[in-house]
Amino acid sequence: TSAATAALRKALSGNGPAPARAKALAALVEADPETAFPFVVQSLQAEARPLRRAAAFLLRRYPAAQIVKALEPKWSAFTPAARRWICAALRDLGDPAGRSLILKELAAAAPADRAPAIAALGATGGAEDVATLLRKAASGSPEEQQAARTALDRMRAPGVEAELSRAARGADESVAAEAILALGRRGAADAAPLLLQIARTGPAAAREPALKALRAVARPEDLPELIELAETVPEESFDAALDTLHAAALRWNRASETARRLSAAFRAAAPQARRERLLRTLARFGGPEALAALREALRSPLQATALRLLAGWPDAEPLPDVRAALASADTPALHTLAMRAYLRLADRDESADAAERLARCRFAWSRARSVEERRLVLAGAGQCLTPDALSWAAQALEDEAVRPEAQAALLQLCVGLRGADPDACAAILRRIAAAPASEQFRAQARQTLEAIAASREWLCAWQASPPYAQPGKSCAELFDIAFAPETAPQNTPWRILPPSPTPGQPWLMDLLALYPQEQAVAYARTHLWLPAEREAILHLGTDDGFKLWVNGRLVAKHNVMRAVQPDQEKIPIRLRQGWNDLLLKVTQNNQGWGFCARLTGPDGAPLSDGQAAAELP
């Protein structure tokens, strides 16, 4: 060790490259800190910047008192950059012994160089330094203000919050505001009574900072007073009081109780502007009290505000109320607001099937009074995956004003319905490909037409059930559990299963795209019409296992884990004259989930005289 120390001291005393001397200094500090300390102090004044930076970093290995004793007498000899680095080291040490040097720098530094010293004062100072930091936060440069606020937030010395509370009651309004905000940022719950008092009776300049701080420090027992405060504050502080009440109620899980009180205040409020702002805050809480107030507002001069707020409601419960407002709107502005709210709520109704979605689009279309409103209706029409939607939306192709929106909706419908109604989709796609349209629309139409042609020999007209799962059950265990489509198919919600849009796989019925889930099962069904009874072969591929029923009779099953490929199974089936029902159960392990199927005669030739339908005509 002594030999190594001697070699390092020699290296530091020489004129070698600065990076090498910095490494030697670090090694010497590691080997013999006390011997190294004079070299650290000396290196803080070195000409080479890397050596000065290394020395400042290595100061963190020494007690703050030792640093102050060595550096304070020669403080003015250090460069401004070196002094900033030293302050950063003292900040990281967080020892009150470093405070005297920090104050010396704060007094001597140029305004542009004070931020590091201010930050260090937050780590080393105490209650006696709160006033200094508050003055910097209130009137310093932007850099000083930010550093002072951060320092006030991080100070952990005894008496800091008491000093902040004293300053919050002071005569200097800007300093008082900074003290109030610091109490809020620190989460000083003991200051809640003081902040409530300032919010209630303090000067205007302190009232809003107090309300803002209360969002973080109000206690559950303060909520009644916050509600009373929101009902009584002057008009200029009303919005801030409502924001504070909302934040505090949510933080303490008291939203329902608070919404009830606000509902009563809403009904009792006289000024229209105050009623409107109470209504907006109620909508932020949500729940039955808020919805009741919004429904009431639909029949008042606040109807426009209510419609805007209902458009953002998280579910479709107020849809009937908005529908009534749409039917009775007596001005163009109200009508457009009602139309937007109706369409947004209808889009959120995940329980609605495709037929119900289409019925709502038809209703909205019948009420549309302008080109803009017709465009809004068509924007959601692509979600109505039912064959009836094709013929309805196709009528809009004749209206030049909304033709692009009609084309976009029809393209979306054709992608989803090309398996369920390929002939109707092909006819519409040919119209789009030949009509005035963007090149993007024409290309998409041609691509979907190619997918229809490529999938003609495949069974692509299917409906799918929702997925089914049980906690702790793997897909292999779910294989033999009978779910609703097996036991009560009439009570099962079914939806069109679109074929995969993946190029090269027009035959894939992609369950995973519809239901991204693992360890589950889903069911798919289709209907086959034949002019006469016959034997057939169902060529089936699945990911993963499957069970197959034909006209209610289980004809094949395979509990397996695999990726889907065409013709993995060749299943002989007997089909009767007229309509036949096929039900398929497919398990899902992980990753891909889907199936493909095609029908041939026993000789392998496709059945050309049959017809498939996702829904029975």
Side-chain angles (χ1 to χ4, degrees), residues 24 49 104 140 187 212 235 384 430 444 527:
R49 190 172 186 272
K104 189 179 187 72
K212 185 175 180 180
E235 187 66 22
C384 307
R430 284 192 289 269
Q444 188 175 347
H527 309 279

Side-chain angles (χ1 to χ4, degrees), residues 414-434:
C414 287
V415 168
L417 294 170
R418 67 174 177 83
D421 200 345
D423 293 334
C425 287
I428 288 171
L429 291 167
R430 284 192 289 269
R431 286 180 64 185
I432 295 175

Side-chain angles (χ1 to χ4, degrees), residues 31-98:
D32 189 349
E34 290 309 311
T35 299
F37 186 71
F39 289 95
V40 173
V41 174
Q42 177 184 338
S43 298
L44 287 169
Q45 298 175 278
E47 294 184 5
R49 190 172 186 272
L51 192 55
R52 295 201 307 272
R53 283 298 298 265
F57 181 79
L58 292 167
L59 281 177
R60 292 163 174 82
R61 298 290 300 272
Y62 297 94
Q66 183 178 356
I67 296 170
V68 171
K69 182 179 179 181
L71 302 187
E72 195 167 16
K74 55 178 73 175
W75 188 244
S76 59
F78 296 112
T79 65
R83 296 203 303 267
R84 289 196 300 271
W85 298 336
I86 296 166
C87 287
L90 291 171
R91 177 202 64 204
D92 291 348
L93 288 170
D95 188 333

Side-chain angles (χ1 to χ4, degrees), residues 491-553:
N491 297 327
T492 300
W494 296 94
R495 59 187 293 188
I496 295 289
L497 176 59
S500 170
T502 304
Q505 291 183 317
W507 38 263
L508 176 62
M509 308 307 297
D510 193 350
L511 288 165
L512 187 65
L514 203 60
Y515 303 120
Q517 194 165 331
E518 295 183 354
Q519 304 306 323
V521 299
Y523 295 80
R525 71 178 184 180
T526 188
H527 309 279
L528 300 175
W529 182 88
L530 292 172
E533 182 179 346
R534 67 180 59 187
E535 302 288 337
I537 302 294
L538 184 69
H539 301 257
L540 183 66
T542 60
D543 181 346
D544 292 289
F546 76 93
K547 286 186 177 182
L548 174 67
W549 293 263
V550 177
N551 294 324
R553 186 172 68 89

